[in-house]
Amino acid sequence: MLYDIVKFFFLGALQGFTEPIPISSSGHLVLAQHFLGIELPGLSFEVFVNFASLLAVLVIYRKDLVRITKNGLRYVWTKEPNTKEDFMFIVYLMIATIPAGVIGILLGDYIEDSGVSVVGITLMITGIALYLIRNLKGRKNDGDLTMKDALLVGFAQAVALIPGISRSGATIVAAMALGMKQETALRFSFLLYIPVSLGTTILSVPDMIGDSHLHVIWPLLSIAFIAAFIFSYYSLKWFMGIMERGNLKYFSYYCWIVGILVILFA
């Protein structure tokens, strides 16, 4: 029982800490399973910890969410010019969600079967992408985004379905490469995480309800949930500070080191 408690806490903390930062949470869970011999607890675990990370993002970005929701609805009813920016931001988030949703449905099972060696290679790719945009500042604010920006960031998020390609890393790299300011890129990336994570959670509920082991392991899942929420919250706060200081290159170094070690010893 003690081992199970430690395992679920560790996996929840690992997923929570790595979800917001550009080093791939899915890739690290694959590595934990391979090198530490830890068996992932299944679908219910994934639903619980991802929902915990989602709640952390909602808490941190609650003011932005309230503002764009209120202004978006106001624009629908009144067409006030000063609310159009937030309305279009919502539209672009919806558009950017489509590629990952479609590819996830069509190729999800195939992508999830990626091996450990693939994670090593994709971590190297993530590191290269982060290094290339490390010094970009950008000029685009929320109101300067276009349909093209939304689609390209959406396709970047779809690529991140591959373990080892960081979702936050891929979307932030794409956003900054398209000329977004760091603050706008970060906000668009994590607000984009909300519909994807929420959709995945909702679609997984029927399978989770049918999990015959759920009533037995729910206390352990609760431990993983709490760990994932706490670590996601503070990890995202930490990452926001790093983005402000422009220190993305350190994540590049980390991805390269881990990627090389995985390729050599997997």
Side-chain angles (χ1 to χ4, degrees), residues 121-229:
I121 295 170
T122 51
L123 279 173
M124 296 287 290
I125 294 172
T126 295
I128 292 170
L130 289 170
Y131 191 80
L132 290 176
I133 57 94
R134 68 193 185 282
N135 294 324
L136 295 181
K137 300 299 180 184
R139 297 179 179 178
K140 291 183 180 179
N141 292 307
D142 293 7
D144 301 317
L145 304 186
T146 65
M147 192 79 70
K148 176 184 174 182
D149 295 333
L151 282 172
L152 290 177
V153 174
F155 279 112
Q157 180 168 251
V159 172
L161 292 171
I162 303 171
I165 299 291
S166 164
R167 193 213 65 84
S168 63
T171 52
I172 288 171
V173 165
M176 292 180 64
L178 290 166
M180 294 186 203
K181 290 183 177 180
Q182 291 182 349
E183 181 182 356
T184 298
L186 191 67
R187 179 163 48 250
F188 193 83
S189 172
F190 283 101
L191 293 186
L192 181 57
Y193 172 72
I194 294 171
V196 172
S197 179
L198 187 59
T200 301
T201 300
I202 293 172
L203 290 174
S204 301
V205 168
D207 293 327
M208 188 177 67
I209 293 175
D211 186 349
S212 59
H213 301 291
L214 183 61
H215 70 284
V216 176
I217 64 172
W218 73 263
L220 296 173
L221 291 175
S222 299
I223 292 172
F225 178 90
I226 294 170
F229 175 81

Side-chain angles (χ1 to χ4, degrees):
M1 186 65 181
L2 179 59
Y3 170 76
D4 286 335
I5 291 173
V6 172
K7 181 178 78 170
F8 274 75
F9 177 84
F10 170 75
L11 290 174
L14 178 65
Q15 194 280 337
F17 179 73
T18 55
E19 179 63 52
I21 60 179
I23 60 174
S24 178
S25 60
S26 60
H28 278 72
L29 288 175
V30 170
L31 297 181
Q33 186 176 20
H34 180 79
F35 288 107
L36 301 179
I38 298 176
E39 183 178 352
L40 296 183
L43 178 63
S44 296
F45 169 82
E46 294 177 18
V47 173
F48 267 69
V49 295
N50 278 295
F51 188 64
S53 294
L54 171 62
L55 287 181
V57 172
L58 290 173
V59 170
I60 290 175
Y61 281 100
R62 62 189 182 279
K63 292 181 179 179
D64 291 292
L65 286 168
V66 170
R67 188 196 75 247
I68 67 172
T69 300
K70 288 173 62 176
N71 287 342
L73 291 174
R74 187 177 300 165
Y75 181 79
V76 171
W77 293 109
T78 66
K79 296 297 187 293
E80 293 179 21
N82 62 328
T83 61
K84 184 177 180 179
E85 179 178 311
D86 286 326
F87 172 77
M88 292 307 301
F89 196 86
I90 295 173
V91 172
Y92 293 143
L93 286 174
M94 294 171 63
I95 292 170
T97 303
I98 295 172
V102 173
I103 294 176
I105 292 172
L106 296 177
L107 302 176
D109 293 338
Y110 176 77
I111 292 171
E112 289 176 0
D113 291 335
S114 302
V116 177
S117 58
V118 172
V119 173
I121 295 170
T122 51
L123 279 173
M124 296 287 290
I125 294 172
T126 295
I128 292 170
L130 289 170
Y131 191 80
L132 290 176
I133 57 94
R134 68 193 185 282
N135 294 324
L136 295 181
K137 300 299 180 184
R139 297 179 179 178
K140 291 183 180 179
N141 292 307
D142 293 7
D144 301 317
L145 304 186
T146 65
M147 192 79 70
K148 176 184 174 182
D149 295 333
L151 282 172
L152 290 177
V153 174
F155 279 112
Q157 180 168 251
V159 172
L161 292 171
I162 303 171
I165 299 291
S166 164
R167 193 213 65 84
S168 63
T171 52
I172 288 171
V173 165
M176 292 180 64
L178 290 166
M180 294 186 203
K181 290 183 177 180
Q182 291 182 349
E183 181 182 356
T184 298
L186 191 67
R187 179 163 48 250
F188 193 83
S189 172
F190 283 101
L191 293 186
L192 181 57
Y193 172 72
I194 294 171
V196 172
S197 179
L198 187 59
T200 301
T201 300
I202 293 172
L203 290 174
S204 301
V205 168
D207 293 327
M208 188 177 67
I209 293 175
D211 186 349
S212 59
H213 301 291
L214 183 61
H215 70 284
V216 176
I217 64 172
W218 73 263
L220 296 173
L221 291 175
S222 299
I223 292 172
F225 178 90
I226 294 170
F229 175 81
I230 293 172
F231 277 82
S232 290
Y233 180 88
Y234 287 105
S235 179
L236 178 50
K237 282 286 191 180
W238 174 61
F239 182 51
M240 292 169 76
I242 288 176
M243 284 287 290
E244 289 179 2
R245 296 189 293 273
N247 290 334
L248 284 174
K249 62 183 178 182
Y250 297 112
F251 291 109
S252 298
Y253 303 152
Y254 174 84
C255 288
W256 289 339
I257 292 170
V258 175
I260 290 172
L261 291 175
V262 169
I263 292 170
L264 290 176
F265 298 106

